[in-house]
Amino acid sequence: MTRKGVKQKIFVGVSAMAMSLMLVGSYNIVTYANELSEGYVVEAENDANDITPHSAIIEYRYKVEGTKLYRRLYNYTEQCWVGDWEYVGEGYVKPDM
């Protein structure tokens, strides 16, 4: 087989694959939801009050004493403090009201 014949077969094969992919890509499938029959009731599995977080919500709370800024972790899930107050820095200026 000549070199020209191999190139032509590769070109025809790649073209056929490209055309088939274009045809498959343009095929649309439309689906519709089923309507509920009479007497069928959908009930919620759980109420909004039943939702509980899997991990604790812990964030920093801040306080200012004079010009010194302190922070401390607070557990909002259990509503208790975590750790001690940490000194963050100085230079806090109280805004004028």
Side-chain angles (χ1 to χ4, degrees), residues 11-96:
F11 177 74
V12 169
V14 169
S15 299
M17 286 192 310
M19 289 295 281
S20 64
L21 288 175
M22 283 191 287
L23 291 174
V24 169
S26 65
Y27 183 72
N28 292 330
I29 299 174
V30 179
T31 59
Y32 298 98
N34 289 335
E35 293 182 16
L36 296 177
S37 60
E38 296 254 347
Y40 187 79
V41 178
V42 177
E43 294 180 9
E45 290 183 16
N46 57 0
D47 196 16
N49 297 332
D50 295 340
I51 298 173
T52 57
H54 290 281
S55 61
I57 301 170
I58 300 175
E59 294 181 359
Y60 280 108
R61 284 198 175 174
Y62 296 90
K63 77 173 181 179
V64 177
E65 290 182 354
T67 60
K68 296 181 181 180
L69 180 64
Y70 296 92
R71 71 178 181 184
R72 187 176 185 182
L73 287 173
Y74 186 76
N75 187 337
Y76 286 94
T77 306
E78 298 178 11
Q79 298 180 350
C80 63
W81 292 104
V82 179
D84 296 325
W85 288 103
E86 299 174 355
Y87 174 71
V88 177
E90 277 192 52
Y92 177 78
V93 177
K94 198 174 214 178
D96 295 331

